[in-house]
Amino acid sequence: MKKSILKLSMACLILLGMFTHQAIANNQPGLKVEVSGKGQPIILIPGITCAGDVWDETLTAMGDGYQYHVMTLPGFAGNAPLNNVETEGFFSQVEAMILNYIAENKLEKPIIIGHSLGGFLALKIGISNPDLPSKLVIVDSLPFLAGIQMPYIQTEEQATQFAKQVKATMIGSNSQSQEEQMAYQKEMLKSMIRDEDKIAIAAKWGAQSDVTTIAQAMYEMYATDLRQEVAEIKAPTLVLGAWIAYKNYGVTRESCLASYKAQYQAQPNVTVDLTDNGNHFIMWDDPEFFYNWLNKFL
């Protein structure tokens, strides 16, 4: 049951990465950040391959009263990749960049909202700096991805072996033509995003992303188990998940919710809920559910 449940989240992460990607940006590696508004600072971190534009509708819906810091991470959606991502790691470098950005801009007790890979980053920041964020919003992401997809994986050592296979597969996917990869990617995104126009947008971001960055980031997420470490998080946390894309595989709302809660059981002050209408990109697929929870939680 666990294997089928988080095909739901993992398909979104894996399939976006298993294609040919060419980095097209000529800028220097680093965070791309767009700032707007005044008020309580909110940092918004997108998922793998995605640009910060994925949050455009969210900003419009939330309106005034916040200062938005919308990030595009290195290597994704045309943003230049890190030069040493395989030797120095993806998450350690990007987390340090975000923390430096917060310090340099004197952002006091920011709210951090992260989708997918961005949610995993938000958890890591909440663990390493418990007093920094005022609140966390985690959109369809989990502390131990490998463990929930593959029931036999119980330790980071086991997960690391699986992660190596995933990374090798992603690197090896570089042999197909760009046209073939884009067509396949759009087909796979249908289980992650319901709107055809949004699928085209996400596919374009994927085509502009760097395959080495994607493979390294996925390797690190698969090989990392944060289930016990989330106990360090002090900030009230909202976790929103999705399940309906895989109900034909035997997934039920109850079984999926139980799996989510089990992964976050060590974390204090956490609220978990699932959309009944959206796929992995909840903010696109079920905006009413997403915005209602944001308004209530924030």
Side-chain angles (χ1 to χ4, degrees):
M1 180 59 71
K2 286 184 179 179
K3 182 178 180 179
S4 61
I5 287 175
L6 257 279
K7 284 180 179 179
L8 168 63
S9 288
M10 292 313 303
C12 300
L13 295 170
I14 297 172
L15 294 173
L16 280 172
M18 292 178 66
F19 313 109
T20 301
H21 297 85
Q22 299 296 326
I24 65 171
N26 294 316
N27 54 311
Q28 293 298 311
L31 296 174
K32 177 182 176 182
V33 185
E34 296 186 6
V35 182
S36 62
K38 296 181 179 180
Q40 170 73 26
I42 296 183
I43 295 170
L44 297 105
I45 310 174
I48 197 164
T49 79
C50 289
D53 297 352
V54 74
W55 300 111
D56 282 355
E57 290 91 340
T58 300
L59 270 59
T60 300
M62 294 183 69
D64 298 333
Y66 299 104
Q67 183 183 65
Y68 302 105
H69 300 258
V70 182
M71 298 184 169
T72 301
L73 304 182
F76 298 153
N79 196 19
L82 299 167
N83 295 322
N84 54 353
V85 67
E86 288 191 283
T87 56
E88 300 297 326
F90 176 81
F91 282 100
S92 60
Q93 293 192 81
V94 175
E95 180 182 349
M97 288 179 177
I98 295 174
L99 293 173
N100 286 339
Y101 177 85
I102 292 171
E104 289 174 0
N105 290 276
K106 298 180 173 59
L107 304 183
E108 296 292 334
K109 303 296 288 186
I111 298 165
I112 303 178
I113 302 176
H115 173 238
S116 196
L117 175 147
F120 194 77
L121 253 173
L123 290 175
K124 289 181 70 65
I125 292 170
I127 291 167
S128 63
N129 293 266
D131 295 318
L132 189 150
S134 61
K135 292 182 179 180
L136 300 177
V137 178
I138 311 299
V139 186
D140 214 19
S141 189
L142 292 156
F144 189 39
L145 302 180
I148 201 163
Q149 188 191 16
M150 309 299 290
Y152 67 86
I153 294 178
Q154 299 296 324
T155 67
E156 282 193 348
E157 289 75 16
Q158 294 170 326
T160 297
Q161 295 305 311
F162 180 66
K164 289 179 180 177
Q165 298 172 17
V166 171
K167 182 178 179 179
T169 300
M170 290 181 179
I171 296 295
S173 71
N174 208 30
S175 60
Q176 290 183 316
S177 71
Q178 185 78 5
E179 185 178 62
E180 290 172 329
Q181 296 288 4
M182 284 291 289
Y184 182 63
Q185 185 172 164
K186 287 182 178 180
E187 184 64 29
M188 293 301 99
L189 283 167
K190 291 180 181 179
S191 67
M192 311 171 199
I193 304 168
R194 302 181 71 178
D195 183 273
E196 291 289 338
D197 292 337
K198 298 294 189 185
I199 289 173
I201 292 170
K204 181 179 179 180
W205 289 335
Q208 296 173 332
S209 296
D210 175 63
V211 66
T212 302
T213 301
I214 296 166
Q216 182 64 28
M218 286 304 304
Y219 166 80
E220 292 178 31
M221 279 197 294
Y222 267 119
T224 304
D225 182 358
L226 300 178
R227 287 176 297 178
Q228 298 305 313
E229 293 182 51
V230 295
E232 302 298 321
I233 295 175
K234 294 181 180 180
T237 301
L238 173 64
V239 177
L240 301 176
W243 69 276
I244 61 167
Y246 290 90
K247 62 182 179 181
N248 291 335
Y249 292 86
V251 176
T252 67
R253 190 182 203 284
E254 292 73 21
S255 62
C256 188
L257 185 61
S259 293
Y260 271 71
K261 287 184 175 180
Q263 288 241 338
Y264 285 97
Q265 64 181 351
Q267 184 172 345
N269 204 3
V270 63
T271 301
V272 182
D273 196 12
L274 304 178
T275 170
D276 292 322
N277 298 305
N279 295 341
H280 181 57
F281 283 68
I282 298 172
M283 59 284 199
W284 278 354
D285 279 3
D286 195 358
E288 182 177 2
F289 167 85
F290 184 62
Y291 303 147
N292 283 345
W293 259 117
L294 285 185
N295 289 332
K296 181 164 52 175
F297 182 71
L298 302 182

